[in-house]
Amino acid sequence: METGKETSMYTVSNHAKERYAERCKDRDSRLEITTYVAEHSQRIEEEINRMLRYGKRVYTGRTEGGKDRVPKEVYVNGLWILLANAENHNVITLYRVDLGCGPDLDKLYVERMVQRLEEAKGHLDETRRKAEEQNRAYQAILQEGEGQIQEYQERIRLLKEMCEGYQAVMRSSRAGLARAADDVEAIVNTLIGKKKF
C-alpha cells in the first residue's frame, strides 16, 4: 500500500469541492453548496490535499465506468475515499463510506476491502511475474522455431529450384526426342516418297 505522504499538491475539481461542501460540511441545497465553495475554495483545496497526504493511495490504474480511459488514483483516509486523475493530479471526487450500520461496520468494511485489494494486487503481481517468466521461455522457443522455419524455407526454395531445373532438362529432353522422331519420320517419308507440303 502506498502512503500519500509523497504527494505534491493536487488541484481539486469544482465537482470535488462541491462534494466536499455537501459531504464534509453538510451543505444541502445547491445554493448553500455553491456559496460555501465560492467562499472557502482555497481552504477546501488545502483540506482535500491534507486528506490525501495523510491517507493511503491504495490503487493507481484504470477504473470502470469512467468517461475517459485516463488512469485514476484511489486514496483511503479513514472512511473517506478520494478519486484523482493520475495524469494531471486533479481530485475528481470524494465520498464517505456509509453502509448505514454504523462507523464500526463501515471501518471494518473499508479495512477488508483494502485488504482484499492488496491481496488481489499481490496475485496480479505474481501472475504478471509468472507470465513474463513463461513468455521469456516461450520467446526463446519461438525464436528457435522461426530460425528453423527460415532454414526449411531456404531448403524448400533450393529444392524448388532443383525441381524446376530437372523439369527444364526433361522439357529439353522431350523436345530433343521430338526433333529426333521428326528426323526419323522425315527420312522414312523421303525413303517411301512421301512429301510434306
Side-chain angles (χ1 to χ4, degrees):
M1 190 173 311
E2 307 167 42
T3 63
K5 289 184 177 50
E6 61 277 341
T7 62
S8 58
M9 285 292 282
Y10 279 54
T11 59
V12 179
S13 70
N14 197 58
H15 175 80
K17 289 176 183 179
E18 290 174 350
R19 295 301 72 79
Y20 179 89
E22 176 187 6
R23 296 168 180 164
C24 294
K25 298 301 179 182
D26 298 321
R27 299 304 191 259
D28 295 328
S29 72
R30 186 79 193 132
L31 179 61
E32 285 181 314
I33 291 169
T34 305
T35 302
Y36 187 86
V37 169
E39 292 173 356
H40 301 93
S41 182
Q42 184 62 35
R43 185 166 10 134
I44 292 171
E45 207 158 309
E46 291 168 2
E47 283 294 318
I48 289 175
N49 271 284
R50 192 173 297 117
M51 291 172 81
L52 293 172
R53 194 168 32 259
Y54 293 108
K56 296 175 184 172
R57 185 172 52 208
V58 295
Y59 178 75
T60 301
R62 303 210 186 281
T63 58
E64 187 177 314
K67 294 177 187 173
D68 55 27
R69 298 297 295 153
V70 175
K72 307 294 187 288
E73 294 177 323
V74 178
Y75 283 85
V76 174
N77 183 327
L79 297 178
W80 288 93
I81 308 295
L82 297 98
L83 186 66
N85 179 312
E87 289 181 355
N88 64 11
H89 291 48
N90 180 265
V91 178
I92 299 165
T93 194
L94 72 155
Y95 62 92
R96 185 182 187 281
V97 173
D98 185 358
L99 302 175
C101 298
D104 290 341
L105 186 58
D106 294 342
K107 183 178 178 187
L108 181 61
Y109 170 79
V110 170
E111 288 171 356
R112 291 282 168 86
M113 290 304 290
V114 169
Q115 181 183 8
R116 284 184 60 199
L117 177 59
E118 290 303 315
E119 289 168 1
K121 288 186 338 187
H123 177 68
L124 173 63
D125 290 343
E126 180 65 18
T127 302
R128 181 181 291 123
R129 186 193 61 74
K130 285 180 180 178
E132 288 171 355
E133 186 177 294
Q134 185 180 45
N135 289 346
R136 277 192 298 275
Y138 288 152
Q139 187 63 38
I141 293 168
L142 284 172
Q143 286 176 341
E144 183 179 330
E146 291 291 332
Q148 289 178 349
I149 287 170
Q150 288 178 355
E151 182 181 318
Y152 289 137
Q153 285 175 336
E154 180 61 19
R155 286 183 183 179
I156 289 169
R157 186 187 65 75
L158 291 173
L159 283 171
K160 282 183 178 180
E161 285 179 5
M162 181 184 75
C163 289
E164 287 170 3
Y166 284 130
Q167 287 174 348
V169 169
M170 288 170 55
R171 281 191 300 272
S172 176
S173 176
R174 281 192 295 268
L177 181 60
R179 278 192 305 276
D182 285 347
D183 288 347
V184 169
E185 185 181 333
I187 292 171
V188 169
N189 285 335
T190 301
L191 181 64
I192 62 174
K194 292 193 175 183
K195 301 265 184 212
K196 279 188 178 178
F197 295 103

